[in-house]
Amino acid sequence: MPKPVADRGKAAKAAAPVNSDTHGPGGGRRHFLNRTLLVDTAISVIEEDGPEALTFRRLGAELEVAPTAVYRHFPDKDALLRALGDRLLEVALEGFVPGEDWRSTLHAAAVTARRAYLSHPRVATLAVARATTNEATFRFADICLGALRSTGLDTAVAARFYLALVDLTLGSAALEAAFAGQDAAVLAEDDAAWSGKLLEIAAPEYPNLVAAAPHLRGAYRDDHFEALLSLLLDAVSVHLPGSAEY
Amino acid sequence: MPKPVADRGKAAKAAAPVNSDTHGPGGGRRHFLNRTLLVDTAISVIEEDGPEALTFRRLGAELEVAPTAVYRHFPDKDALLRALGDRLLEVALEGFVPGEDWRSTLHAAAVTARRAYLSHPRVATLAVARATTNEATFRFADICLGALRSTGLDTAVAARFYLALVDLTLGSAALEAAFAGQDAAVLAEDDAAWSGKLLEIAAPEYPNLVAAAPHLRGAYRDDHFEALLSLLLDAVSVHLPGSAEY
DNA sequence: TTTTCTTTGTCAACACCGTTGACAACGTGC
DNA sequence: GCACGTTGTCAACGGTGTTGACAAAGAAAA
């Protein structure tokens, strides 16, 4: 389970000013905070109480630290948010090893990235909205491009397929995360609205929707992501130097 | 050009209290605001100055109205945001007519939806993060599902393909919108970072990335969306009742 | 050791945000 | 004429990101 760290000072007493006595005399008050600790704490806050709960004051309370201490490690909140997205990919790629052939490598990379985002849907929703220029993204790109080029594929074509793969993977993950990241109450209400009988009454002018409604709600999203991914990988096969062009 | 309306009171004097004299004696002060006017103004604000510029105070100033007047039409800001996303699809589908066969209909629907989101990238970035249960979504779904079912395809299979189509279209649009919605300054900086020579120095451990970098930046995203879409539509063809299964 | 400097956390304050509740003006129906 | 609901106004509240001056802990230099 990905449950990040962030254990120190879990139950902070609201925003009570830090009593200098409570922090051990020889204790490591100095150099206590760092980027990863802040990021992991932020992630756990979002996952617990939603994106709107992530504030500097909350973050400070969680770590028993003055809210503004965060500014020593991130210039502003946007930078913190971007770091969250980066971290998601980072932990996902931590134990990643390429497969034996290009196809299994690409498949594993896509599935890994997808899982990374879906494991923290509410963080992902925030993160996808910002472009990333970070180490993890570079590594991910290099792995995928390497697999594609190892087939003898022209670099330009490989680049095109890589972009398609990213679109497919991150795009569908973003959509699904947005959906999964909602409050349970909203989710249940939504489910009721789409569940057939109700829809039939509410929107009789959409017969096809009404007919297909039951199939839309119970669908296993993972399955049809796999299907789309296979489609793309098949398309790569066809373009391989060895095979007929079309 | 999609430039929405919102012309009344363009140059608002900061947040100066509304002088009751400035509003024509017989003028239509009452019943002046309405949902669509607010939504269109909100969209133009976001497109001009970014999502963070959309505040009730700004919205009020733009329309020469007290900020809290908005609350007479939307219960809270989240509702306003959701309305923005709905409106995007709504205007896109306004003039939409299905094509002659199922394939051209699906193609047109996907391209139309994509264009709708990309025409207002910064709004789309906000909107995709909220689930939509609105009229426009229903209509879009019904059109696509109708086209799929008209081929004789089983309803369950049609539903699967529809979900795949949505994933592909909205997902890639969301990603691209997130990218396009950034400040020009950030965009230029990003471009520099990925432009090959710089990358080569910064990240020598990623040879495949360095080799492919030039092809990644200049890529026409529309083109490879079309390619992905064709892939999906081809897959639909294969599953048609008339053709051999595999 | 003493002195100086940089780093890192603290604190009070700022402007702005979404939101609320009481109030006023208008148009409608009795 | 008069009550009434609708719609816009205004002042105020608590919470937010952010700033700048300050203090303490170590590192570096004397």
Side-chain angles (χ1 to χ4, degrees), chain A residues 177-200:
Chain A
F179 191 78
Q182 292 177 110
D183 287 337
V186 181
L187 225 61
E189 181 192 331
D190 220 55
D191 199 64
W194 282 78
S195 66
K197 199 69 189 167
L198 246 80
L199 189 79
E200 197 171 341

mmCIF file with all atom_site columns, all heavy atoms in Angstrom, chain A residues 177-200:
data_model
loop_
_atom_site.group_PDB
_atom_site.id
_atom_site.type_symbol
_atom_site.label_atom_id
_atom_site.label_alt_id
_atom_site.label_comp_id
_atom_site.label_asym_id
_atom_site.label_entity_id
_atom_site.label_seq_id
_atom_site.pdbx_PDB_ins_code
_atom_site.Cartn_x
_atom_site.Cartn_y
_atom_site.Cartn_z
_atom_site.occupancy
_atom_site.B_iso_or_equiv
_atom_site.pdbx_formal_charge
_atom_site.auth_seq_id
_atom_site.auth_comp_id
_atom_site.auth_asym_id
_atom_site.auth_atom_id
_atom_site.pdbx_PDB_model_num
ATOM 1   N N   . ALA A 1 177 ? -9.595  9.709  -12.560 1.00 0.00 ? 177 ALA A N   1
ATOM 2   C CA  . ALA A 1 177 ? -9.230  10.247 -11.251 1.00 0.00 ? 177 ALA A CA  1
ATOM 3   C C   . ALA A 1 177 ? -10.193 11.351 -10.846 1.00 0.00 ? 177 ALA A C   1
ATOM 4   O O   . ALA A 1 177 ? -10.633 11.428 -9.693  1.00 0.00 ? 177 ALA A O   1
ATOM 5   C CB  . ALA A 1 177 ? -7.801  10.781 -11.283 1.00 0.00 ? 177 ALA A CB  1
ATOM 6   N N   . ALA A 1 178 ? -10.541 12.183 -11.811 1.00 0.00 ? 178 ALA A N   1
ATOM 7   C CA  . ALA A 1 178 ? -11.487 13.262 -11.524 1.00 0.00 ? 178 ALA A CA  1
ATOM 8   C C   . ALA A 1 178 ? -12.787 12.684 -11.013 1.00 0.00 ? 178 ALA A C   1
ATOM 9   O O   . ALA A 1 178 ? -13.401 13.201 -10.072 1.00 0.00 ? 178 ALA A O   1
ATOM 10  C CB  . ALA A 1 178 ? -11.729 14.088 -12.783 1.00 0.00 ? 178 ALA A CB  1
ATOM 11  N N   . PHE A 1 179 ? -13.177 11.584 -11.610 1.00 0.00 ? 179 PHE A N   1
ATOM 12  C CA  . PHE A 1 179 ? -14.412 10.952 -11.211 1.00 0.00 ? 179 PHE A CA  1
ATOM 13  C C   . PHE A 1 179 ? -14.293 10.312 -9.832  1.00 0.00 ? 179 PHE A C   1
ATOM 14  O O   . PHE A 1 179 ? -15.130 10.528 -8.949  1.00 0.00 ? 179 PHE A O   1
ATOM 15  C CB  . PHE A 1 179 ? -14.797 9.898  -12.250 1.00 0.00 ? 179 PHE A CB  1
ATOM 16  C CG  . PHE A 1 179 ? -16.169 9.366  -12.078 1.00 0.00 ? 179 PHE A CG  1
ATOM 17  C CD1 . PHE A 1 179 ? -17.258 10.101 -12.499 1.00 0.00 ? 179 PHE A CD1 1
ATOM 18  C CD2 . PHE A 1 179 ? -16.383 8.152  -11.461 1.00 0.00 ? 179 PHE A CD2 1
ATOM 19  C CE1 . PHE A 1 179 ? -18.544 9.628  -12.326 1.00 0.00 ? 179 PHE A CE1 1
ATOM 20  C CE2 . PHE A 1 179 ? -17.667 7.665  -11.279 1.00 0.00 ? 179 PHE A CE2 1
ATOM 21  C CZ  . PHE A 1 179 ? -18.735 8.412  -11.709 1.00 0.00 ? 179 PHE A CZ  1
ATOM 22  N N   . ALA A 1 180 ? -13.214 9.561  -9.644  1.00 0.00 ? 180 ALA A N   1
ATOM 23  C CA  . ALA A 1 180 ? -13.040 8.810  -8.399  1.00 0.00 ? 180 ALA A CA  1
ATOM 24  C C   . ALA A 1 180 ? -12.721 9.728  -7.224  1.00 0.00 ? 180 ALA A C   1
ATOM 25  O O   . ALA A 1 180 ? -12.924 9.355  -6.070  1.00 0.00 ? 180 ALA A O   1
ATOM 26  C CB  . ALA A 1 180 ? -11.918 7.786  -8.559  1.00 0.00 ? 180 ALA A CB  1
ATOM 27  N N   . GLY A 1 181 ? -12.241 10.928 -7.508  1.00 0.00 ? 181 GLY A N   1
ATOM 28  C CA  . GLY A 1 181 ? -11.805 11.813 -6.435  1.00 0.00 ? 181 GLY A CA  1
ATOM 29  C C   . GLY A 1 181 ? -12.927 12.561 -5.744  1.00 0.00 ? 181 GLY A C   1
ATOM 30  O O   . GLY A 1 181 ? -12.702 13.287 -4.794  1.00 0.00 ? 181 GLY A O   1
ATOM 31  N N   . GLN A 1 182 ? -14.142 12.350 -6.210  1.00 0.00 ? 182 GLN A N   1
ATOM 32  C CA  . GLN A 1 182 ? -15.258 13.096 -5.642  1.00 0.00 ? 182 GLN A CA  1
ATOM 33  C C   . GLN A 1 182 ? -15.694 12.556 -4.288  1.00 0.00 ? 182 GLN A C   1
ATOM 34  O O   . GLN A 1 182 ? -15.366 11.433 -3.915  1.00 0.00 ? 182 GLN A O   1
ATOM 35  C CB  . GLN A 1 182 ? -16.436 13.039 -6.597  1.00 0.00 ? 182 GLN A CB  1
ATOM 36  C CG  . GLN A 1 182 ? -16.216 13.793 -7.881  1.00 0.00 ? 182 GLN A CG  1
ATOM 37  C CD  . GLN A 1 182 ? -17.402 13.636 -8.800  1.00 0.00 ? 182 GLN A CD  1
ATOM 38  O OE1 . GLN A 1 182 ? -18.140 14.562 -9.027  1.00 0.00 ? 182 GLN A OE1 1
ATOM 39  N NE2 . GLN A 1 182 ? -17.568 12.436 -9.307  1.00 0.00 ? 182 GLN A NE2 1
ATOM 40  N N   . ASP A 1 183 ? -16.456 13.358 -3.579  1.00 0.00 ? 183 ASP A N   1
ATOM 41  C CA  . ASP A 1 183 ? -17.022 12.912 -2.315  1.00 0.00 ? 183 ASP A CA  1
ATOM 42  C C   . ASP A 1 183 ? -17.941 11.726 -2.553  1.00 0.00 ? 183 ASP A C   1
ATOM 43  O O   . ASP A 1 183 ? -18.587 11.622 -3.593  1.00 0.00 ? 183 ASP A O   1
ATOM 44  C CB  . ASP A 1 183 ? -17.836 14.042 -1.668  1.00 0.00 ? 183 ASP A CB  1
ATOM 45  C CG  . ASP A 1 183 ? -16.927 15.116 -1.116  1.00 0.00 ? 183 ASP A CG  1
ATOM 46  O OD1 . ASP A 1 183 ? -15.758 14.791 -0.835  1.00 0.00 ? 183 ASP A OD1 1
ATOM 47  O OD2 . ASP A 1 183 ? -17.381 16.254 -0.981  1.00 0.00 ? 183 ASP A OD2 1
ATOM 48  N N   . ALA A 1 184 ? -18.006 10.864 -1.588  1.00 0.00 ? 184 ALA A N   1
ATOM 49  C CA  . ALA A 1 184 ? -18.840 9.675  -1.707  1.00 0.00 ? 184 ALA A CA  1
ATOM 50  C C   . ALA A 1 184 ? -20.302 10.050 -1.935  1.00 0.00 ? 184 ALA A C   1
ATOM 51  O O   . ALA A 1 184 ? -21.015 9.395  -2.691  1.00 0.00 ? 184 ALA A O   1
ATOM 52  C CB  . ALA A 1 184 ? -18.701 8.810  -0.462  1.00 0.00 ? 184 ALA A CB  1
ATOM 53  N N   . ALA A 1 185 ? -20.743 11.119 -1.299  1.00 0.00 ? 185 ALA A N   1
ATOM 54  C CA  . ALA A 1 185 ? -22.135 11.550 -1.419  1.00 0.00 ? 185 ALA A CA  1
ATOM 55  C C   . ALA A 1 185 ? -22.462 11.928 -2.861  1.00 0.00 ? 185 ALA A C   1
ATOM 56  O O   . ALA A 1 185 ? -23.457 11.469 -3.430  1.00 0.00 ? 185 ALA A O   1
ATOM 57  C CB  . ALA A 1 185 ? -22.391 12.736 -0.494  1.00 0.00 ? 185 ALA A CB  1
ATOM 58  N N   . VAL A 1 186 ? -21.599 12.746 -3.460  1.00 0.00 ? 186 VAL A N   1
ATOM 59  C CA  . VAL A 1 186 ? -21.801 13.153 -4.841  1.00 0.00 ? 186 VAL A CA  1
ATOM 60  C C   . VAL A 1 186 ? -21.800 11.941 -5.752  1.00 0.00 ? 186 VAL A C   1
ATOM 61  O O   . VAL A 1 186 ? -22.600 11.835 -6.684  1.00 0.00 ? 186 VAL A O   1
ATOM 62  C CB  . VAL A 1 186 ? -20.693 14.132 -5.277  1.00 0.00 ? 186 VAL A CB  1
ATOM 63  C CG1 . VAL A 1 186 ? -20.916 14.579 -6.714  1.00 0.00 ? 186 VAL A CG1 1
ATOM 64  C CG2 . VAL A 1 186 ? -20.633 15.317 -4.351  1.00 0.00 ? 186 VAL A CG2 1
ATOM 65  N N   . LEU A 1 187 ? -20.898 11.035 -5.466  1.00 0.00 ? 187 LEU A N   1
ATOM 66  C CA  . LEU A 1 187 ? -20.760 9.827  -6.275  1.00 0.00 ? 187 LEU A CA  1
ATOM 67  C C   . LEU A 1 187 ? -22.036 9.007  -6.261  1.00 0.00 ? 187 LEU A C   1
ATOM 68  O O   . LEU A 1 187 ? -22.499 8.535  -7.302  1.00 0.00 ? 187 LEU A O   1
ATOM 69  C CB  . LEU A 1 187 ? -19.590 8.996  -5.727  1.00 0.00 ? 187 LEU A CB  1
ATOM 70  C CG  . LEU A 1 187 ? -18.619 8.431  -6.759  1.00 0.00 ? 187 LEU A CG  1
ATOM 71  C CD1 . LEU A 1 187 ? -17.965 9.555  -7.549  1.00 0.00 ? 187 LEU A CD1 1
ATOM 72  C CD2 . LEU A 1 187 ? -17.563 7.581  -6.079  1.00 0.00 ? 187 LEU A CD2 1
ATOM 73  N N   . ALA A 1 188 ? -22.597 8.843  -5.082  1.00 0.00 ? 188 ALA A N   1
ATOM 74  C CA  . ALA A 1 188 ? -23.817 8.039  -4.944  1.00 0.00 ? 188 ALA A CA  1
ATOM 75  C C   . ALA A 1 188 ? -24.975 8.697  -5.684  1.00 0.00 ? 188 ALA A C   1
ATOM 76  O O   . ALA A 1 188 ? -25.733 8.039  -6.393  1.00 0.00 ? 188 ALA A O   1
ATOM 77  C CB  . ALA A 1 188 ? -24.158 7.871  -3.468  1.00 0.00 ? 188 ALA A CB  1
ATOM 78  N N   . GLU A 1 189 ? -25.063 9.986  -5.544  1.00 0.00 ? 189 GLU A N   1
ATOM 79  C CA  . GLU A 1 189 ? -26.129 10.735 -6.214  1.00 0.00 ? 189 GLU A CA  1
ATOM 80  C C   . GLU A 1 189 ? -26.023 10.591 -7.723  1.00 0.00 ? 189 GLU A C   1
ATOM 81  O O   . GLU A 1 189 ? -27.006 10.378 -8.422  1.00 0.00 ? 189 GLU A O   1
ATOM 82  C CB  . GLU A 1 189 ? -26.006 12.212 -5.816  1.00 0.00 ? 189 GLU A CB  1
ATOM 83  C CG  . GLU A 1 189 ? -27.068 13.110 -6.420  1.00 0.00 ? 189 GLU A CG  1
ATOM 84  C CD  . GLU A 1 189 ? -26.712 14.570 -6.223  1.00 0.00 ? 189 GLU A CD  1
ATOM 85  O OE1 . GLU A 1 189 ? -26.030 14.880 -5.217  1.00 0.00 ? 189 GLU A OE1 1
ATOM 86  O OE2 . GLU A 1 189 ? -27.076 15.385 -7.063  1.00 0.00 ? 189 GLU A OE2 1
ATOM 87  N N   . ASP A 1 190 ? -24.781 10.684 -8.199  1.00 0.00 ? 190 ASP A N   1
ATOM 88  C CA  . ASP A 1 190 ? -24.521 10.542 -9.619  1.00 0.00 ? 190 ASP A CA  1
ATOM 89  C C   . ASP A 1 190 ? -24.925 9.165  -10.099 1.00 0.00 ? 190 ASP A C   1
ATOM 90  O O   . ASP A 1 190 ? -25.536 9.002  -11.161 1.00 0.00 ? 190 ASP A O   1
ATOM 91  C CB  . ASP A 1 190 ? -23.027 10.756 -9.870  1.00 0.00 ? 190 ASP A CB  1
ATOM 92  C CG  . ASP A 1 190 ? -22.793 11.550 -11.135 1.00 0.00 ? 190 ASP A CG  1
ATOM 93  O OD1 . ASP A 1 190 ? -23.369 12.653 -11.232 1.00 0.00 ? 190 ASP A OD1 1
ATOM 94  O OD2 . ASP A 1 190 ? -22.055 11.065 -11.992 1.00 0.00 ? 190 ASP A OD2 1
ATOM 95  N N   . ASP A 1 191 ? -24.576 8.176  -9.309  1.00 0.00 ? 191 ASP A N   1
ATOM 96  C CA  . ASP A 1 191 ? -24.892 6.804  -9.650  1.00 0.00 ? 191 ASP A CA  1
ATOM 97  C C   . ASP A 1 191 ? -26.397 6.626  -9.802  1.00 0.00 ? 191 ASP A C   1
ATOM 98  O O   . ASP A 1 191 ? -26.867 5.978  -10.736 1.00 0.00 ? 191 ASP A O   1
ATOM 99  C CB  . ASP A 1 191 ? -24.355 5.875  -8.560  1.00 0.00 ? 191 ASP A CB  1
ATOM 100 C CG  . ASP A 1 191 ? -24.228 4.451  -9.067  1.00 0.00 ? 191 ASP A CG  1
ATOM 101 O OD1 . ASP A 1 191 ? -23.421 4.226  -9.986  1.00 0.00 ? 191 ASP A OD1 1
ATOM 102 O OD2 . ASP A 1 191 ? -24.964 3.584  -8.556  1.00 0.00 ? 191 ASP A OD2 1
ATOM 103 N N   . ALA A 1 192 ? -27.130 7.221  -8.881  1.00 0.00 ? 192 ALA A N   1
ATOM 104 C CA  . ALA A 1 192 ? -28.589 7.127  -8.932  1.00 0.00 ? 192 ALA A CA  1
ATOM 105 C C   . ALA A 1 192 ? -29.123 7.756  -10.220 1.00 0.00 ? 192 ALA A C   1
ATOM 106 O O   . ALA A 1 192 ? -29.999 7.210  -10.883 1.00 0.00 ? 192 ALA A O   1
ATOM 107 C CB  . ALA A 1 192 ? -29.196 7.811  -7.711  1.00 0.00 ? 192 ALA A CB  1
ATOM 108 N N   . ALA A 1 193 ? -28.562 8.894  -10.584 1.00 0.00 ? 193 ALA A N   1
ATOM 109 C CA  . ALA A 1 193 ? -29.041 9.629  -11.747 1.00 0.00 ? 193 ALA A CA  1
ATOM 110 C C   . ALA A 1 193 ? -28.864 8.831  -13.039 1.00 0.00 ? 193 ALA A C   1
ATOM 111 O O   . ALA A 1 193 ? -29.673 8.914  -13.955 1.00 0.00 ? 193 ALA A O   1
ATOM 112 C CB  . ALA A 1 193 ? -28.322 10.967 -11.858 1.00 0.00 ? 193 ALA A CB  1
ATOM 113 N N   . TRP A 1 194 ? -27.811 8.027  -13.104 1.00 0.00 ? 194 TRP A N   1
ATOM 114 C CA  . TRP A 1 194 ? -27.503 7.305  -14.340 1.00 0.00 ? 194 TRP A CA  1
ATOM 115 C C   . TRP A 1 194 ? -28.044 5.888  -14.336 1.00 0.00 ? 194 TRP A C   1
ATOM 116 O O   . TRP A 1 194 ? -27.785 5.130  -15.267 1.00 0.00 ? 194 TRP A O   1
ATOM 117 C CB  . TRP A 1 194 ? -25.994 7.245  -14.537 1.00 0.00 ? 194 TRP A CB  1
ATOM 118 C CG  . TRP A 1 194 ? -25.417 8.509  -15.046 1.00 0.00 ? 194 TRP A CG  1
ATOM 119 C CD1 . TRP A 1 194 ? -25.165 9.631  -14.327 1.00 0.00 ? 194 TRP A CD1 1
ATOM 120 C CD2 . TRP A 1 194 ? -25.013 8.800  -16.389 1.00 0.00 ? 194 TRP A CD2 1
ATOM 121 N NE1 . TRP A 1 194 ? -24.623 10.594 -15.133 1.00 0.00 ? 194 TRP A NE1 1
ATOM 122 C CE2 . TRP A 1 194 ? -24.529 10.116 -16.397 1.00 0.00 ? 194 TRP A CE2 1
ATOM 123 C CE3 . TRP A 1 194 ? -25.024 8.066  -17.577 1.00 0.00 ? 194 TRP A CE3 1
ATOM 124 C CZ2 . TRP A 1 194 ? -24.046 10.718 -17.564 1.00 0.00 ? 194 TRP A CZ2 1
ATOM 125 C CZ3 . TRP A 1 194 ? -24.542 8.676  -18.728 1.00 0.00 ? 194 TRP A CZ3 1
ATOM 126 C CH2 . TRP A 1 194 ? -24.058 9.988  -18.724 1.00 0.00 ? 194 TRP A CH2 1
ATOM 127 N N   . SER A 1 195 ? -28.755 5.500  -13.333 1.00 0.00 ? 195 SER A N   1
ATOM 128 C CA  . SER A 1 195 ? -28.990 4.074  -13.159 1.00 0.00 ? 195 SER A CA  1
ATOM 129 C C   . SER A 1 195 ? -30.209 3.535  -13.906 1.00 0.00 ? 195 SER A C   1
ATOM 130 O O   . SER A 1 195 ? -30.775 2.530  -13.525 1.00 0.00 ? 195 SER A O   1
ATOM 131 C CB  . SER A 1 195 ? -29.117 3.740  -11.677 1.00 0.00 ? 195 SER A CB  1
ATOM 132 O OG  . SER A 1 195 ? -30.283 4.365  -11.169 1.00 0.00 ? 195 SER A OG  1
ATOM 133 N N   . GLY A 1 196 ? -30.635 4.173  -14.968 1.00 0.00 ? 196 GLY A N   1
ATOM 134 C CA  . GLY A 1 196 ? -31.639 3.541  -15.813 1.00 0.00 ? 196 GLY A CA  1
ATOM 135 C C   . GLY A 1 196 ? -33.039 4.088  -15.623 1.00 0.00 ? 196 GLY A C   1
ATOM 136 O O   . GLY A 1 196 ? -33.466 4.961  -16.371 1.00 0.00 ? 196 GLY A O   1
ATOM 137 N N   . LYS A 1 197 ? -33.716 3.581  -14.649 1.00 0.00 ? 197 LYS A N   1
ATOM 138 C CA  . LYS A 1 197 ? -35.118 3.944  -14.461 1.00 0.00 ? 197 LYS A CA  1
ATOM 139 C C   . LYS A 1 197 ? -35.276 5.454  -14.276 1.00 0.00 ? 197 LYS A C   1
ATOM 140 O O   . LYS A 1 197 ? -36.116 6.093  -14.915 1.00 0.00 ? 197 LYS A O   1
ATOM 141 C CB  . LYS A 1 197 ? -35.668 3.198  -13.236 1.00 0.00 ? 197 LYS A CB  1
ATOM 142 C CG  . LYS A 1 197 ? -37.191 3.134  -13.213 1.00 0.00 ? 197 LYS A CG  1
ATOM 143 C CD  . LYS A 1 197 ? -37.736 2.226  -14.322 1.00 0.00 ? 197 LYS A CD  1
ATOM 144 C CE  . LYS A 1 197 ? -39.247 2.334  -14.434 1.00 0.00 ? 197 LYS A CE  1
ATOM 145 N NZ  . LYS A 1 197 ? -39.744 1.716  -15.680 1.00 0.00 ? 197 LYS A NZ  1
ATOM 146 N N   . LEU A 1 198 ? -34.456 5.999  -13.413 1.00 0.00 ? 198 LEU A N   1
ATOM 147 C CA  . LEU A 1 198 ? -34.536 7.433  -13.167 1.00 0.00 ? 198 LEU A CA  1
ATOM 148 C C   . LEU A 1 198 ? -34.240 8.226  -14.429 1.00 0.00 ? 198 LEU A C   1
ATOM 149 O O   . LEU A 1 198 ? -34.909 9.208  -14.749 1.00 0.00 ? 198 LEU A O   1
ATOM 150 C CB  . LEU A 1 198 ? -33.542 7.828  -12.069 1.00 0.00 ? 198 LEU A CB  1
ATOM 151 C CG  . LEU A 1 198 ? -34.177 8.316  -10.782 1.00 0.00 ? 198 LEU A CG  1
ATOM 152 C CD1 . LEU A 1 198 ? -34.623 7.109  -9.958  1.00 0.00 ? 198 LEU A CD1 1
ATOM 153 C CD2 . LEU A 1 198 ? -33.205 9.168  -10.004 1.00 0.00 ? 198 LEU A CD2 1
ATOM 154 N N   . LEU A 1 199 ? -33.219 7.762  -15.140 1.00 0.00 ? 199 LEU A N   1
ATOM 155 C CA  . LEU A 1 199 ? -32.820 8.448  -16.362 1.00 0.00 ? 199 LEU A CA  1
ATOM 156 C C   . LEU A 1 199 ? -33.951 8.422  -17.382 1.00 0.00 ? 199 LEU A C   1
ATOM 157 O O   . LEU A 1 199 ? -34.200 9.391  -18.093 1.00 0.00 ? 199 LEU A O   1
ATOM 158 C CB  . LEU A 1 199 ? -31.581 7.767  -16.940 1.00 0.00 ? 199 LEU A CB  1
ATOM 159 C CG  . LEU A 1 199 ? -30.901 8.483  -18.100 1.00 0.00 ? 199 LEU A CG  1
ATOM 160 C CD1 . LEU A 1 199 ? -30.045 9.615  -17.575 1.00 0.00 ? 199 LEU A CD1 1
ATOM 161 C CD2 . LEU A 1 199 ? -30.059 7.514  -18.892 1.00 0.00 ? 199 LEU A CD2 1
ATOM 162 N N   . GLU A 1 200 ? -34.617 7.300  -17.412 1.00 0.00 ? 200 GLU A N   1
ATOM 163 C CA  . GLU A 1 200 ? -35.702 7.112  -18.373 1.00 0.00 ? 200 GLU A CA  1
ATOM 164 C C   . GLU A 1 200 ? -36.778 8.181  -18.218 1.00 0.00 ? 200 GLU A C   1
ATOM 165 O O   . GLU A 1 200 ? -37.338 8.687  -19.189 1.00 0.00 ? 200 GLU A O   1
ATOM 166 C CB  . GLU A 1 200 ? -36.315 5.715  -18.171 1.00 0.00 ? 200 GLU A CB  1
ATOM 167 C CG  . GLU A 1 200 ? -37.161 5.240  -19.331 1.00 0.00 ? 200 GLU A CG  1
ATOM 168 C CD  . GLU A 1 200 ? -37.526 3.779  -19.147 1.00 0.00 ? 200 GLU A CD  1
ATOM 169 O OE1 . GLU A 1 200 ? -36.845 3.080  -18.358 1.00 0.00 ? 200 GLU A OE1 1
ATOM 170 O OE2 . GLU A 1 200 ? -38.486 3.329  -19.770 1.00 0.00 ? 200 GLU A OE2 1
#
